[in-house]
Amino acid sequence: MLKKTLLLSAIAATCCMSVNGQNYPKLGVDPIDKVIDAMTLDEKLDMVIGAAGVETDASATVGSSAELVPGAAGQLNAIPRLGIPAIVVADGPAGVRINPTREGTKQTFYCTHFPVATVVSSTWNTELANQIGKAMGDETRHYGVDVLLAPATNIMRNPLNGRNFEYYSEDPLLAGKICAAVVNGVQSNGVGTSVKHFALNNQETNRTSNNVIGSPRTFREIYLKPFEIVVKEAQPWTIMTSYNKINGTMTSERADLVTEILRHEWGFKGMVMTDWFGGQYAAAQMQAGNDLLMPGKKTQRDELKKAIINGHLSMEIIDRNIRHILQCIMMTPAFKGLKADNNPDLKAHAVVTRNAATEGMVLLKNDGNVLPLEGSAKKVAVFGRTAYDFIAGGTGSGDVNHAYVISLTEGLKNAGMKIDKSVQKAYEKYIPAAKAAMPDAGEGLRKFMPKDLIDEMQISDDMLDKAAKGNDMAIITIGKTSGEFLDRKLSNNFNLTQAEQNMISGVCDAFHKAGKKVVVILNVCGPIETASWTSKPDAILNVWLPGQEGGNSVADVLTGKECPSGRLPMTWPLTYNDVNNKADFPMPDEISDEMIDKAITGFADKRTTGTTRNFDYTEYNEGVYVGYRYYTTKNVNVAYPFGYGLSYTTFEKSAPETNVNADGDITVKVNVKNVGKTAGKEVVEVYVSAPGKDMDKPARELKGFAKTRKLAPGETQTVEITIPYESLASFNEKDSRWQVEGGEYKVMVADNAADAAPLTATVSEKAGVTETVRPCLLPEMK
């Protein structure tokens, strides 16, 4: 009772000072603690809860809750008397997401649609990733946004995850390094990032309530590692907690995750915020160290106020969280008084996105060096709906309101090619009619879900015969997209539809019969099944979701203006049956409307509970054997391995020269020579095989990579890669420590994760413990 009386007296005194005092402390002038002490209870609640103030969760799901920048995802409350401005946060991973038009002005506010994150990681080029980040950050600043809700660096655990296009890789090192480069680029503009979704947001099905069940070693070595790399190499201004549970508790309510691991172990200095309407109990989120609840609900405010007054939540916890928020605010353009001019250099950024997309494209097949196209291949028959209706990016918060998208046919025309008009007219007639016939997306949250694409047009034999006779070659485009809320269907998103199979077979048969070549363009959101049809076309170029300049970027590679140098950041299995965690991932084709409605209810109101496997809970039974770690260790054949990609030229690499210093760090030197006839870039991938005696280890793990500059024919570059000693450590759950086992390590310079004849060297390492930590993320006790 005494504690409650003293607390109420302190609150009353604070309120009295706030109302009657004349010389209020100011943020940036006075110490932060003095500013916090001057706040009333209601003002403190304003600080830890976003400005939306919504009654229900559904109203600002993917849309906007910001007034200062229309279309931005949200904003924080201002306290003018204390010098605290409102700051604006906006999506997203492929560029700033705000409304392109505003009331009262004819000016447009379009943003550059950059290539999706998967394209960026496919470049294996941290310098280029940094350039993309700089361009994103520039638009963020010009449009008056203080924090970009990006990038996302969750692991591509399963190829059906609907949001994989927003993520970087199945490998934590590649994901972390590329993400850190983007963060550094964005924040070089004096604006912040919010790295997401922390952590283990690896499925979209029932994502707000799903309970991820796994071991601390699995979590730390695979799923937390990219976040650790980003924090230590880039210090993002904010981290966004994910929706899901980990071993029974919401991520935003886990002190061991957001305080012990993130702050104490990794040294994170910034602010932690929830994903929109994330978590369940506001007081538990505050106690765990989740500083800010977004976009802000009245019910959260009521819950916190009641918890404070009743003595269930200490003011010290609230003050701690406000301190993190104010430290972040002090870095923002809004706090520094910088005004938005709404005039970014969109033309310059279009060049950045065009070049980045080009470098992230992966050449999967090129029989007989069909590509690059010879000068004589000028007349082209183009098939496939997405050749004319190109997919720039995914749906949901990762989308961008762009001014235009260059289709494949437009890109080819810009490159001087002639497109078969009769085929084009057939598609231009078919596409709008087929779209009009599609069922309505639905109301509420359903309208934000990924939409089914129209099926491929049936192509008559007569059209095929005429096209084969009247053109030099054929190009087929296969398009697949995905987004928030739902995972990719196996039947028509990972696997090709029968109409797509018929199109590939028909075009290849007709053109090959006429002695002409066929190239397939994959405008896809992630891996697809290729084994059933890959033998038919002469070349396959995977262009992903390449942003608004996509058609021009594809043409740059097809014509040889640019030499392909992209490498896969994930494995492409032969069939989905080969995926080792298929039994521990939702089967989207079997998700009923009732289950979708349940998930929507869980998102919009209270979290769901239940016992449905891979819906209410998902077990990570594969442990650390994610992606290539499984396929290489178990010798499972794949369609295209992690790190795979072809080029128009040929490179020779020298045997690796290795050195181990006194700290155990390994230096690897490799000479890379272009022995072909075309200038190009090469990726150097360094894998390490551990002794594997102390604990079970994958056959090989990526421990370093680098990309050369563009090498002219005959030119050589020496690449030096350092593998830190601590990166060789595995997590010992029994002793809660990171340890390096002693013995012989094989260092491999490989063309990809499945390379059977890598260039090798052997080094010796001493056993050691690199860090001992507190036990965290332990299995739930019931």
Side-chain angles (χ1 to χ4, degrees):
M1 183 66 184
L2 178 61
K3 178 180 178 183
K4 182 176 179 180
T5 302
L6 290 173
L7 179 60
L8 289 173
S9 299
I11 293 171
T14 303
C15 293
C16 205
M17 278 174 43
S18 301
V19 173
N20 298 321
Q22 298 297 317
N23 298 317
Y24 303 123
K26 298 290 184 181
L27 185 64
V29 176
D30 297 287
I32 284 181
D33 286 344
K34 189 173 182 180
V35 174
I36 296 174
D37 289 341
M39 291 180 186
T40 67
L41 174 59
D42 283 336
E43 285 173 333
K44 289 184 177 184
L45 295 176
D46 280 344
M47 281 287 92
V48 297
I49 298 174
V54 296
E55 294 282 3
T56 61
D57 296 348
S59 60
T61 306
V62 181
S64 156
S65 62
E67 297 175 354
L68 296 175
V69 181
Q75 64 190 49
L76 278 64
N77 289 296
I79 307 178
R81 73 180 185 88
L82 300 177
I84 302 172
I87 69 169
V88 177
V89 299
D91 295 318
V96 183
R97 185 172 175 270
I98 58 176
N99 290 347
T101 58
R102 298 177 186 174
E103 292 184 4
T105 179
K106 294 182 179 180
Q107 182 181 354
T108 57
F109 304 85
Y110 289 111
C111 299
T112 303
H113 199 151
F114 293 92
V116 299
T118 301
V119 179
V120 182
S121 59
S122 296
T123 70
W124 292 61
N125 187 336
T126 54
E127 292 182 7
L128 181 58
N130 183 260
Q131 292 173 17
I132 296 168
K134 286 180 178 178
M136 285 184 176
D138 182 70
E139 290 189 21
T140 303
R141 178 172 54 84
H142 277 285
Y143 278 130
V145 174
D146 298 287
V147 176
L148 186 67
L149 302 175
T153 190
N154 295 99
I155 290 294
M156 298 174 179
R157 174 176 178 252
N158 182 286
L160 297 188
N161 181 12
R163 220 162 170 185
N164 274 348
F165 70 92
E166 284 191 32
Y167 304 151
Y168 291 108
S169 180
E170 68 185 23
D171 180 79
L173 177 69
L174 180 61
K177 291 288 186 179
I178 297 293
C179 186
V182 173
V183 169
N184 280 322
V186 172
Q187 295 189 166
S188 69
N189 291 274
V191 295
T193 59
S194 188
V195 175
K196 58 184 187 179
H197 310 84
F198 188 61
L200 290 125
N201 186 169
N202 305 112
Q203 71 181 57
E204 287 300 293
T205 301
N206 199 29
R207 62 180 179 175
T208 60
S209 300
N210 179 255
N211 182 24
V212 173
I213 300 173
S215 69
R217 181 189 177 191
T218 298
F219 296 157
R220 286 179 174 274
E221 288 191 23
I222 303 296
Y223 299 96
L224 298 188
K225 184 59 68 172
F227 290 97
E228 179 183 359
I229 292 170
V230 175
V231 167
K232 291 181 176 179
E233 297 188 5
Q235 273 294 336
W237 288 13
T238 80
I239 295 286
M240 181 189 294
T241 48
S242 57
Y243 288 123
N244 52 280
K245 300 173 185 175
I246 299 178
N247 286 338
T249 303
M250 293 284 176
T251 60
S252 59
E253 299 171 13
R254 292 204 69 115
D256 57 354
L257 179 69
V258 298
T259 296
E260 181 61 31
I261 292 177
L262 181 61
R263 293 195 184 278
H264 296 166
E265 289 186 23
W266 300 349
F268 177 64
K269 306 298 182 185
M271 175 180 76
V272 179
M273 70 169 75
T274 63
D275 203 339
W276 267 225
F277 308 111
Q280 190 165 5
Y281 301 111
Q285 291 171 305
M286 290 290 105
Q287 290 170 333
N290 198 115
D291 305 308
L292 176 65
L293 310 182
M294 291 298 288
K297 294 194 306 180
K298 290 180 180 179
T299 54
Q300 292 171 326
R301 184 186 190 87
D302 294 341
E303 179 190 337
L304 290 180
K305 193 168 187 176
K306 182 178 179 180
I308 292 169
I309 291 175
N310 289 343
H312 301 309
L313 178 62
S314 74
M315 194 65 80
E316 287 78 10
I317 292 293
I318 296 293
D319 290 351
R320 175 199 66 182
N321 296 355
I322 291 174
R323 189 175 299 111
H324 296 148
I325 295 170
L326 294 181
Q327 288 169 342
C328 179
I329 289 175
M330 289 177 66
M331 297 189 289
T332 62
F335 179 77
K336 296 174 182 178
L338 301 177
K339 302 297 183 182
D341 61 19
N342 296 312
N343 190 32
D345 192 345
L346 297 179
K347 289 185 177 180
H349 297 165
V351 174
V352 173
T353 189
R354 179 172 178 169
N355 294 339
T358 299
E359 191 159 333
M361 293 176 182
V362 183
L363 184 61
L364 299 178
K365 180 181 179 180
N366 195 22
D367 285 359
N369 294 322
V370 171
L371 298 177
L373 301 177
E374 298 178 355
S376 58
K378 289 292 185 182
K379 297 173 66 177
V380 183
V382 181
F383 299 90
R385 67 194 187 294
T386 44
Y388 302 89
D389 190 18
F390 214 58
I391 307 172
T395 64
S397 62
D399 200 1
V400 179
N401 292 314
H402 46 248
Y404 64 88
V405 173
I406 301 295
S407 69
L408 176 62
T409 49
E410 289 172 324
L412 295 175
K413 288 177 182 177
N414 293 340
M417 294 187 182
K418 294 181 180 179
I419 309 300
D420 187 300
K421 291 184 179 179
S422 62
V423 175
Q424 181 173 352
K425 287 180 180 179
Y427 276 99
E428 289 175 346
K429 180 181 179 181
Y430 167 76
I431 292 171
K435 284 186 174 182
M438 292 288 285
D440 183 73
E443 296 298 322
L445 292 179
R446 282 183 177 271
K447 66 183 180 181
F448 295 113
M449 294 182 177
K451 299 171 179 61
D452 288 332
L453 298 177
I454 61 173
D455 211 344
E456 283 297 344
M457 181 180 75
Q458 291 186 357
I459 308 169
S460 67
D461 291 340
D462 183 59
M463 178 184 286
L464 287 172
D465 291 340
K466 289 181 179 178
K469 292 176 182 177
N471 295 280
D472 300 319
M473 64 169 299
I475 294 178
I476 301 170
T477 304
I478 299 293
K480 305 288 182 183
T481 189
S482 62
E484 290 191 68
F485 300 103
L486 295 175
D487 293 305
R488 299 172 60 197
K489 288 186 177 180
L490 180 64
S491 58
N492 63 5
N493 200 308
F494 181 82
N495 293 333
L496 298 196
T497 65
Q498 189 58 54
E500 289 168 329
Q501 292 277 11
N502 293 342
M503 176 177 63
I504 293 174
S505 297
V507 173
C508 289
D509 289 345
F511 276 77
H512 288 164
K513 185 177 179 180
K516 297 172 182 178
K517 304 298 184 181
V518 179
V519 175
V520 169
I521 304 296
L522 299 180
N523 181 200
V524 295
C525 55
I528 64 171
E529 188 275 331
T530 59
S532 64
W533 59 269
T534 189
S535 62
K536 297 173 184 177
D538 302 283
I540 304 172
L541 179 65
N542 178 26
V543 307
W544 306 112
L545 308 180
Q548 68 184 47
E549 285 284 326
N552 285 332
S553 299
V554 176
D556 287 343
V557 174
L558 291 179
T559 60
K561 181 179 178 181
E562 294 294 338
C563 180
S565 62
R567 301 291 183 267
L568 293 178
M570 83 295 281
T571 306
W572 284 39
L574 281 170
T575 72
Y576 188 68
N577 283 334
D578 293 327
V579 176
N580 65 325
N581 57 31
K582 62 183 181 296
D584 293 308
F585 191 85
M587 179 51 69
D589 302 67
E590 299 173 1
I591 300 297
S592 65
D593 284 345
E594 289 76 15
M595 296 175 76
I596 293 174
D597 288 339
K598 181 180 178 182
I600 289 175
T601 301
F603 189 92
D605 189 13
K606 295 181 179 179
R607 304 299 173 237
T608 65
T609 58
T611 57
T612 303
R613 185 180 183 186
N614 300 329
F615 184 83
D616 296 304
Y617 71 95
T618 301
E619 296 177 333
Y620 283 34
N621 289 313
E622 72 274 19
V624 299
Y625 291 93
V626 177
Y628 74 86
R629 284 170 168 79
Y630 163 71
Y631 296 109
T632 56
T633 303
K634 300 300 182 181
N635 295 312
V636 177
N637 290 329
V638 299
Y640 300 106
F642 172 86
Y644 175 87
L646 303 176
S647 174
Y648 292 159
T649 190
T650 305
F651 296 93
E652 284 185 357
K653 301 183 184 77
S654 66
E657 177 185 330
T658 58
N659 179 64
V660 181
N661 66 16
D663 295 325
D665 302 333
I666 306 171
T667 301
V668 183
K669 287 185 179 180
V670 180
N671 295 324
V672 182
K673 183 177 182 180
N674 184 349
V675 296
K677 298 180 180 180
T678 303
K681 298 179 181 180
E682 173 68 327
V683 175
V684 178
E685 304 171 30
V686 179
Y687 298 85
V688 171
S689 177
K693 296 177 181 179
D694 293 353
M695 64 177 69
D696 194 35
K697 300 284 185 74
R700 60 179 69 176
E701 295 182 280
L702 184 74
K703 293 299 180 183
F705 66 92
K707 196 164 195 177
T708 68
R709 62 179 180 271
K710 183 179 285 188
L711 300 178
E715 187 177 5
T716 300
Q717 179 181 342
T718 300
V719 173
E720 183 173 314
I721 296 171
T722 298
I723 302 173
Y725 178 73
E726 59 266 22
S727 73
L728 301 175
S730 294
F731 190 72
N732 180 331
E733 292 180 0
K734 178 178 177 294
D735 300 315
S736 195
R737 66 188 190 186
W738 290 92
Q739 64 184 46
V740 178
E741 62 177 327
E744 300 295 311
Y745 286 74
K746 183 185 291 186
V747 178
M748 296 168 278
V749 176
D751 289 338
N752 54 69
D755 189 348
L759 302 168
T760 64
T762 301
V763 299
S764 180
E765 290 283 5
K766 293 182 179 179
V769 175
T770 62
E771 186 180 13
T772 300
V773 297
R774 292 180 178 179
C776 294
L777 306 178
L778 300 176
E780 182 180 11
M781 293 183 66
K782 297 181 179 180

